[in-house]
């Protein structure tokens, strides 16, 4: 079967809408024409004649006529309201696949650092790597605000069972009094989690302040710039 590896615009039909957390939703779309995407890539959704929104593919490309995205509706901007209003059976114009943020064949341990839905492109990267039998150690550091913001916990635990070379930590900045995990901002926990920065490759995805702070710190610790990959949300 011939897949459309180059970006192409087509209509996508919403087949499933699931609320994963207080403000995060998962949307599954069906396509008329198949696509093939690389883990880490994204789709552009045409909201109206003046508005476009980009969302990373949220699950591995196992069915070329279907894809999933994750939407955080907290901002309640045009994109948030657009997707909240969508019902199963509705159609939307989409341009995909796009993007160059992907996992380069690792030759060092890899550290994924995300805030909020910045974890989304990492899901496809990590899952494909573990299922392909990759041997390098993978570490995920994920920063969120509250316990109610956590989603995909079952997937993270499944990855730990799938490969002994995967570990993760969730860091909450505003947890409840019963939270027993790590507290603070993800930037505050990198040094305690990772030994020997310069021997690792880093992938950063999330808010621009986190990415700027972490990249500056990594460069100060002699991590070559080529070992730092970023994607801002």
């Amino acid at each position: 079967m011939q897949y459309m590896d180059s970006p192409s615009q087509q209509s996508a039909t919403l087949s499933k809408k699931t609320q994963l957390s207080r403000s995060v939703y998962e949307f599954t779309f069906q396509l008329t024409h198949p696509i093939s995407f690389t883990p880490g890539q994204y789709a552009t959704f045409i909201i109206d004649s003046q508005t476009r929104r980009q969302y990373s593919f949220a699950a591995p490309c196992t069915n070329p006529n279907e894809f999933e995205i994750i939407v955080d509706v907290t901002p309640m901007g045009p994109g948030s309201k657009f997707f909240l209003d969508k019902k199963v059976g509705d159609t939307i114009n989409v341009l995909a696949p796009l993007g160059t943020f992907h996992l380069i064949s690792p030759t060092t341990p890899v550290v994924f650092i995300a805030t909020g839905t910045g974890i989304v492109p990492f899901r496809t990267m990590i899952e494909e790597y573990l299922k392909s039998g990759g041997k390098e150690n993978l570490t995920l550091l994920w920063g969120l605000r509250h316990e109610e913001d956590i989603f995909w916990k079952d997937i993270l635990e499944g990855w730990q069972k799938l490969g002994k070379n995967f570990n993760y930590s969730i860091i909450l900045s505003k947890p409840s009094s019963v939270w027993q995990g790590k507290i603070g901002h993800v930037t505050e926990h990198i040094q305690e989690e990772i030994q020997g920065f310069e021997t690792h490759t880093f992938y950063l995805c999330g808010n621009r302040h986190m990415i700027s702070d972490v990249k500056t710190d990594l460069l100060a610790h002699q991590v070559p710039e080529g070992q730092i990959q970023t994607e801002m949300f």
Side-chain angles (χ1 to χ4, degrees), residues 188-200:
E188 300 166 1
H189 291 270
I190 300 172
Q191 290 196 38
E192 71 185 47
E193 295 279 349
I194 308 301
Q195 303 299 315
F197 282 9
E198 69 281 358
T199 63
H200 293 70

Side-chain angles (χ1 to χ4, degrees), residues 107-213:
T107 56
T108 70
V110 180
V111 182
F112 300 91
I113 303 175
T115 52
T117 51
I119 191 178
V120 174
F122 295 156
R123 178 192 173 179
T124 52
M125 293 182 190
I126 294 170
E127 195 159 307
E128 181 179 83
Y129 185 73
L130 293 176
K131 288 188 174 180
S132 70
K135 301 302 182 185
E136 294 291 349
N137 288 329
L138 309 182
T139 301
L140 169 67
L141 306 180
W142 186 18
L144 296 161
R145 287 191 177 91
H146 311 281
E147 289 97 320
E148 295 83 3
D149 298 325
I150 298 172
F151 60 95
W152 283 354
K153 188 77 177 294
D154 56 333
I155 291 174
L156 300 179
E157 292 174 350
W159 287 343
Q160 282 195 320
K161 296 176 183 176
L162 181 65
K164 294 181 180 179
N165 55 328
F166 173 77
N167 288 288
Y168 75 94
S169 291
I170 296 175
I171 301 105
L172 300 184
S173 61
K174 298 180 179 179
S176 71
S177 59
V178 299
W179 173 250
Q180 296 183 350
K182 297 181 184 297
I183 298 174
H185 293 92
V186 66
T187 51
E188 300 166 1
H189 291 270
I190 300 172
Q191 290 196 38
E192 71 185 47
E193 295 279 349
I194 308 301
Q195 303 299 315
F197 282 9
E198 69 281 358
T199 63
H200 293 70
T201 299
F202 292 81
Y203 287 77
L204 318 177
C205 188
N207 74 68
R208 64 181 64 251
H209 299 296
M210 179 277 287
I211 290 175
S212 176
D213 290 347

